[in-house]
Amino acid sequence: MISTVKELAAEALFVSCLQPSERPDRETVEDAITTMILRHGSDGCAAGVATEFGDHPDVAVRRMAWVRSELTEVLAPRVSVLR
């Protein structure tokens, strides 16, 4: 189940308008993922990824590498500091 959630999050972030140059924070990435899932559903996100890999494979590979990197940070447990 966890890998399915990670894959859906990756597809949703991939089809979002966020760009690596924006250096989005965790909350912005989470919001983009949620928005894309609600807007396109899981099938729509997957279709968007497939289209980009078919039309622009060189760019899509770089974008997916960025997506995976962002998700590593987003899916990491939040650390709270107790005082």
Side-chain angles (χ1 to χ4, degrees):
M1 181 68 167
I2 295 297
S3 64
T4 303
V5 171
K6 287 173 69 175
E7 292 304 315
L8 176 55
E11 291 167 350
L13 182 56
F14 184 96
V15 299
S16 76
C17 294
L18 284 182
Q19 296 298 314
S21 61
E22 295 177 56
R23 298 182 172 265
D25 61 15
R26 182 181 186 136
E27 185 177 342
T28 302
V29 171
E30 290 172 350
D31 289 346
I33 291 169
T34 301
T35 299
M36 292 298 101
I37 292 170
L38 292 173
R39 182 176 297 159
H40 301 293
S42 60
D43 290 344
C45 290
V49 172
T51 298
E52 285 303 307
F53 269 93
D55 293 347
H56 311 285
D58 53 327
V59 176
V61 168
R62 286 193 307 270
R63 181 157 180 85
M64 187 56 81
W66 170 75
V67 164
R68 297 285 183 192
S69 174
E70 286 297 310
L71 287 181
T72 298
E73 294 179 29
V74 169
L75 296 176
R78 292 181 189 226
V79 178
S80 60
V81 177
L82 300 176
R83 293 179 193 204

